[in-house]
Amino acid sequence: DSQSHCYDNKTAFITLKFMTDWVIQMVFANVNDSSSSKVETATAASDDEKFAMSKMLFTYNAGDSRMFPDTSGSGYLTAMSDPKKSYFATDVGNSYSCKAISNLTLTNEIVVSVSHMKLQPMGIEDGKFSDEYTCTADYIGTPAVSIAVGCSLAALIIIVLVAYLIGRSRQSRRRYQAI
């Protein structure tokens, strides 16, 4: 189950309910350039107005024996993200897309991992996602890049080895001719 609310394109809330009574609430806000140093941004976003997730609240049932079989705790607990950080930043009117795993540390014991997400809390028109910014993690570590770098290094090693052997064989021939 999910809900979202946007207030005058300055603040938006996305609430996700799962496992019957667990809730993740994401608070998105406009981010200006002065706070961009604390924002983990998507691919080169322009100088336009940006949004970012400024807070995540995770409410869970600590007495849930399915998830916490060795717990003696009970009741509901809420963990909150670091208020000094913002995540998933992009321009207002664009969506944010990331297939890679993003780990959001809420406490020493609680890390929320998200992947294959696409979100746009502000500037939605006709109920459809706008142009997307893709997170930089989606570009890093793709198999094609790894294979190309590996092949280039292997070719370079072979070229250097062949050049060394040719140079060494020429040097050894000259030594015998001089005698």
Side-chain angles (χ1 to χ4, degrees), residues 76-172:
Y76 290 91
L77 299 175
T78 299
M80 185 174 84
S81 61
D82 184 349
K84 296 175 186 169
K85 289 187 178 181
S86 295
Y87 300 93
F88 316 134
T90 192
D91 292 340
V92 170
N94 289 317
S95 63
Y96 180 91
S97 174
C98 195
K99 293 178 183 174
I101 296 173
S102 298
N103 292 318
L104 306 166
T105 303
L106 303 183
T107 68
N108 289 338
E109 296 85 25
I110 300 175
V111 176
V112 176
S113 296
V114 294
S115 65
H116 294 87
M117 73 169 169
K118 187 170 185 178
L119 55 90
Q120 181 176 348
M122 298 177 191
I124 297 172
E125 295 180 17
D126 298 327
K128 295 181 181 177
F129 285 108
S130 299
D131 293 339
E132 69 182 39
Y133 281 115
T134 303
C135 68
T136 54
D138 282 354
Y139 295 110
I140 297 170
T142 60
V145 172
S146 300
I147 292 170
V149 169
C151 290
S152 298
L153 288 174
L156 182 63
I157 290 170
I158 291 170
I159 290 170
V160 168
L161 183 61
V162 168
Y164 170 75
L165 293 173
I166 290 172
R168 190 163 182 209
S169 75
R170 285 185 180 175
Q171 185 180 13
S172 66

